[in-house]
Amino acid sequence: MLPIVKVALPAADELMPALEKTLYSGQIAEGEQVYEFEKQFSEKFNIKNVLAMSSGTAALHAALKLCGVEPGDEVISTPMTAEPTNLSILYCGAKVVWADIDPQLGGMDPESVRSKITDKTKAILCVHYAGYPVNLAELKSIANQHGIPLIEDCAHALGALYAGKHVGLVGDYAIYSFQAIKHMTTIDGGVLAMANPEKMEEAKKFRWFGMLKGVPRTEVNISSVGYKYNMNNVVATIGQIQLRNIANVLQRHIENGKYFDEMFAKVAGVDFAKCDANAEPSYWLYTLLSDESEDLEKALNAAGISASKLHRPNNYHSIFDESKTDLPGLDKFYKRLLHLPCGWWVSDEDRALIVETVKKG
């Protein structure tokens, strides 16, 4: 069966010598390997002011706290995402306010966001779901108009572009995930990026128990709550090796996604998710749309292809009952969507089989 996602690990002859060097160096906690990974990631994607974190979720928690989100505040978000996106808001004691989504694009509807802003709104949190960038120009305009920071959740969207630049460069904060099944993996890990370099010291303290690394523990004064959210040298070593080949990995995702766009445009009864004209997706997963999504899922699974809806919209979980509201765009999108594998492991023969199965289904 073709898996919907697969771990992209480098060859053992490239990875193992680097890991052995780190493991036997005696320095496996946060150190030079982490800082080198941050430098390489920043240079590879032209993203400034980055901090390596223990996970994308940790990075998102940090971004929200750096925005000043506290108990009683509100954060406008989307339910069309993995659960950690919105659980991070609850970590801060804030209320999730759902914005609806565009049923064709799957991303946040800017007009819905505009209608949800109140004097309690402390941040707008958008998600480039499945690797498809949202309408960042409109969302940033709304955020600026109201003086509210915009956070980009790029966990699914490494390599995706908006206005010719990598996603994460429009918002005030951005997060990236290297969890096991993302475009690239460090087994677990993430990155926090911030537009304002003056926030870096505060972010570093949040990453490490409210303290700065390098200051003697007998001299430090903790004045704010921090967490153990740092990346370690072992994980960072994997990340450095991954970055050597990430361009090829991303390119294959994109090639397969564009192939599906071309093929499914000719198939009656199906459509596919799209982005605005400024965006170029990185297709972490391919998002097919059909009124017969359930039947197509069964047909594809029977052919050995792991098609699914992947995530349950977060507003369906009882932990978010306080945030209940009507979201007709989301309901339509979720009913019609079906994710197909399109990653680096999907061969030309595999993708042709997927198209042929959809046609028959």
Side-chain angles (χ1 to χ4, degrees):
M1 176 176 283
L2 290 176
I4 197 163
V5 282
K6 199 178 217 179
V7 176
L9 285 175
D13 60 355
E14 188 177 12
L15 176 62
M16 295 312 296
L19 273 177
E20 286 183 6
K21 183 178 179 180
T22 297
L23 286 168
Y24 291 108
S25 70
Q27 301 292 326
I28 60 175
E30 179 192 329
E32 290 306 315
Q33 293 290 358
V34 172
Y35 310 140
E36 179 61 24
F37 172 71
E38 291 171 342
K39 177 176 178 288
Q40 291 183 16
F41 182 85
S42 176
E43 291 173 349
K44 179 73 71 173
F45 295 101
N46 196 27
I47 297 167
K48 307 301 182 185
N49 308 316
V50 304
L51 276 183
M53 308 287 284
S54 58
S55 68
T57 307
L60 190 49
H61 186 196
L64 289 160
K65 293 301 290 186
L66 291 168
C67 287
V69 177
E70 299 288 348
D73 292 334
E74 296 177 352
V75 176
I76 299 173
S77 185
T78 173
M80 198 64 243
T81 182
E83 289 79 2
T85 298
N86 294 304
L87 289 173
S88 299
I89 298 171
L90 301 188
Y91 295 171
C92 299
K95 178 183 177 181
V96 179
V97 175
W98 301 128
D100 207 355
I101 68 172
D102 184 311
Q104 181 64 42
L105 306 181
M108 273 180 138
D109 178 355
E111 290 310 309
S112 178
V113 171
R114 192 188 302 275
S115 71
K116 303 291 177 134
I117 293 173
T118 72
D119 58 3
K120 294 183 178 180
T121 306
K122 278 294 183 70
I124 298 169
L125 173 52
C126 67
V127 178
H128 304 302
Y129 181 72
Y132 294 75
V134 300
N135 188 337
L136 283 169
E138 285 294 320
L139 290 176
K140 183 59 174 172
S141 176
I142 293 167
N144 288 346
Q145 180 184 348
H146 292 273
I148 300 168
L150 175 67
I151 302 171
E152 295 182 57
D153 183 336
C154 310
H156 291 181
L158 189 68
L161 304 178
Y162 193 85
K165 298 179 180 180
H166 287 285
V167 292
L169 292 170
V170 174
D172 299 276
Y173 298 93
I175 71 97
Y176 306 83
S177 172
F178 313 127
Q179 180 259 353
I181 58 175
K182 297 302 194 296
H183 285 100
M184 68 169 269
T185 180
T186 58
I187 310 306
D188 211 349
V191 153
L192 167 68
M194 59 209 84
N196 183 0
E198 294 181 2
K199 288 287 187 177
M200 183 63 76
E201 181 172 308
E202 184 181 353
K204 286 181 176 180
K205 288 181 178 180
F206 189 83
R207 177 173 72 170
W208 183 249
F209 301 119
M211 297 181 283
L212 285 176
K213 284 276 190 176
V215 178
R217 295 289 280 268
T218 56
E219 299 175 13
V220 73
N221 174 46
I222 297 176
S223 58
S224 59
V225 172
Y227 295 79
K228 193 180 185 304
Y229 278 167
N230 61 302
M231 181 179 279
N232 65 62
N233 284 346
V234 178
V235 165
T237 298
I238 297 172
Q240 290 179 46
I241 304 300
Q242 285 269 291
L243 285 173
R244 295 178 188 176
N245 195 48
I246 188 59
N248 293 331
V249 171
L250 291 169
Q251 185 57 38
R252 185 59 185 179
H253 278 261
I254 293 167
E255 286 175 358
N256 283 335
K258 289 184 175 179
Y259 171 85
F260 286 141
D261 283 350
E262 181 182 355
M263 293 297 104
F264 291 134
K266 307 170 186 176
V267 179
V270 300
D271 198 357
F272 47 87
K274 301 176 179 68
C275 304
D276 71 50
N278 289 318
E280 298 178 42
S282 58
Y283 300 99
W284 181 55
L285 298 170
Y286 189 80
T287 304
L288 192 69
L289 300 173
S290 173
D291 291 336
E292 308 299 330
S293 63
E294 292 184 7
D295 290 339
L296 278 176
E297 182 177 356
K298 292 175 183 176
L300 287 159
N301 289 168
I305 300 159
S306 291
S308 76
K309 291 185 181 292
L310 188 65
H311 293 302
R312 191 181 193 212
N314 289 187
N315 60 318
Y316 291 8
H317 294 298
S318 59
I319 196 170
F320 297 113
D321 278 354
E322 183 186 11
S323 302
K324 279 187 176 178
T325 189
D326 291 332
L327 300 168
L330 169 78
D331 293 340
K332 181 178 181 181
F333 181 74
Y334 185 64
K335 182 179 180 181
R336 300 185 72 224
L337 82 81
L338 184 63
H339 290 308
L340 307 177
C342 68
W344 57 269
W345 65 91
V346 176
S347 68
D348 289 357
E349 294 76 17
D350 292 334
R351 69 190 193 183
L353 171 64
I354 291 170
V355 172
E356 189 59 32
T357 305
V358 169
K359 286 180 179 178
K360 292 177 180 178

